[in-house]
Amino acid sequence: MWSQETVAGRPAWRHAPSGVVFREVPGGTFRMGLSDEELSALRALGEADASDNSLEYFLAGAARMRPVREVRVEPFLIARHPLTVAQIRHWLPEYEDEYAESDGTVARVTDDDLDALIEALPFRLPSEAEWEYAARAGTATLTFRGNEIPDEDEILDVFADEKRVAASENAFGLAATGCANELCADVWTPHYENAPSDARPRTGDGLRVVRGGGADVSPWQGCDEWLLLLAAFRSAYDMFTAIRPVASLPVVGGRWATRRRRPVARRRSADCSFRDGSCRAVRNA
């Protein structure tokens, strides 16, 4: 079922039936939520921006990413990148994707196929906490690349990472973090009040949380699309979503197949909201 191998110079687990590559994420604790330091970094970027774009609308919605809290995360496996069209067809042979350029492109699943795919997968969706913990990979900056605003080329070449090259991976070996709207197990709640201190998802009725989406808003419409790349960005599911599944660590010879690692302390990032309704989520080339 699982095979260990090296992918892009890093240890990986491959799910043999589907070919999906997973990275092992070590357990640890991190600060989840939009921190005061990150708010300050965003305000500094806004003040330095000579364009007419303003981050005030985004900052006014910061409560959706707060209060900051410490979260404990157990080790788990997470897909190196969101599922591609070809990988989804392993479970849904008739799957078609109007947003995809090729079978190797990250799939954007719509309502027509979403429930069927989730039911067919032998994996589960990540919780918000697991997703952010994995996306941060030990960083406390706005993105895993730092506190700078990425330009459009960097958004496409680093975060969208259609070629899935090692240079675009974060410290946990994940590619395309923040690229597409990625579905989480949590039901959307517009704050972190009374959220659990471990990585359990918040359950209930309603839309699920999505994370990321920076490469889905194209062409750029002057509404600070780069904010969607932030590790702490969160919104409710709408239109279509990518899937980056997670799994438990494989059991080999009756023992968990994991190495002893020093726990990684994490902090959290910022969130995104747009100033007006002009931003449409459309597939990026």
Side-chain angles (χ1 to χ4, degrees):
M1 179 71 73
W2 294 95
S3 62
Q4 286 183 285
E5 54 189 84
T6 299
V7 175
R10 298 171 184 262
W13 289 92
R14 186 182 296 275
H15 181 250
S18 64
V20 179
V21 173
F22 287 77
R23 299 293 195 193
E24 180 182 333
V25 175
T29 60
F30 77 119
R31 296 285 291 172
M32 182 175 179
L34 184 62
S35 70
D36 292 341
E37 292 80 6
E38 289 166 334
L39 277 170
S40 296
L42 283 170
R43 290 194 175 97
L45 289 173
E47 292 171 359
D49 187 357
S51 71
D52 293 333
N53 294 337
S54 171
L55 299 180
E56 288 308 311
Y57 185 87
F58 169 78
L59 295 171
R64 293 179 303 176
M65 297 163 278
R66 293 166 77 90
V68 177
R69 72 193 193 284
E70 186 171 277
V71 178
R72 183 182 70 259
V73 182
E74 298 300 322
F76 63 100
L77 297 183
I78 187 168
R80 179 175 178 254
H81 54 74
L83 296 179
T84 65
V85 173
Q87 289 169 342
I88 287 180
R89 285 181 181 152
H90 174 77
W91 294 284
L92 302 181
E94 304 302 317
Y95 176 73
E96 296 293 337
D97 194 322
E98 64 180 296
Y99 301 107
E101 291 186 328
S102 68
D103 291 354
T105 302
V106 170
R108 270 72 171 182
V109 186
T110 63
D111 287 337
D112 293 340
D113 299 295
L114 185 55
D115 289 341
L117 177 61
I118 292 174
E119 184 176 350
L121 287 175
F123 317 119
R124 61 180 176 84
L125 295 173
S127 68
E128 275 201 271
E130 287 174 326
W131 192 97
E132 185 173 323
Y133 180 80
R136 286 188 175 280
T139 63
T141 49
L142 297 177
T143 74
F144 76 92
R145 303 275 290 193
N147 282 331
E148 300 301 317
I149 300 176
D151 60 29
E152 291 183 17
D153 288 340
E154 189 176 8
I155 289 173
L156 298 178
D157 295 340
V158 174
F159 292 94
D161 187 29
E162 295 290 354
K163 296 180 180 179
R164 325 222 202 291
V165 296
S168 299
E169 295 179 345
N170 68 15
F172 285 163
L174 303 186
T177 53
C179 160
N181 292 325
E182 296 185 24
L183 194 66
C184 294
D186 301 63
V187 169
W188 170 254
T189 307
H191 53 72
Y192 286 139
E193 297 287 349
N194 301 316
S197 59
D198 58 21
R200 289 174 297 165
R202 288 185 286 182
T203 59
D205 296 327
L207 297 175
R208 285 192 176 97
V209 173
V210 294
R211 294 298 197 102
D216 282 330
V217 186
S218 177
W220 314 129
Q221 300 163 58
C223 50
D224 302 319
E225 294 89 345
W226 68 273
L227 291 165
L228 292 161
L229 303 173
L230 306 187
F233 167 73
R234 60 192 301 267
S235 60
Y237 167 76
D238 180 39
M239 293 181 62
F240 57 78
T241 184
I243 303 291
R244 188 192 296 260
V246 299
S248 299
L249 298 180
V251 177
V252 177
R255 304 183 65 178
W256 293 110
T258 184
R259 298 173 295 282
R260 295 181 63 87
R261 297 185 182 182
R262 182 178 302 174
V264 181
R266 298 222 176 7
R267 301 225 26 189
R268 160 190 187 185
S269 267
D271 149 314
C272 176
S273 309
F274 294 136
R275 292 185 301 284
D276 57 46
S278 65
C279 293
R280 320 177 267 110
V282 295
R283 176 70 173 98
N284 163 64

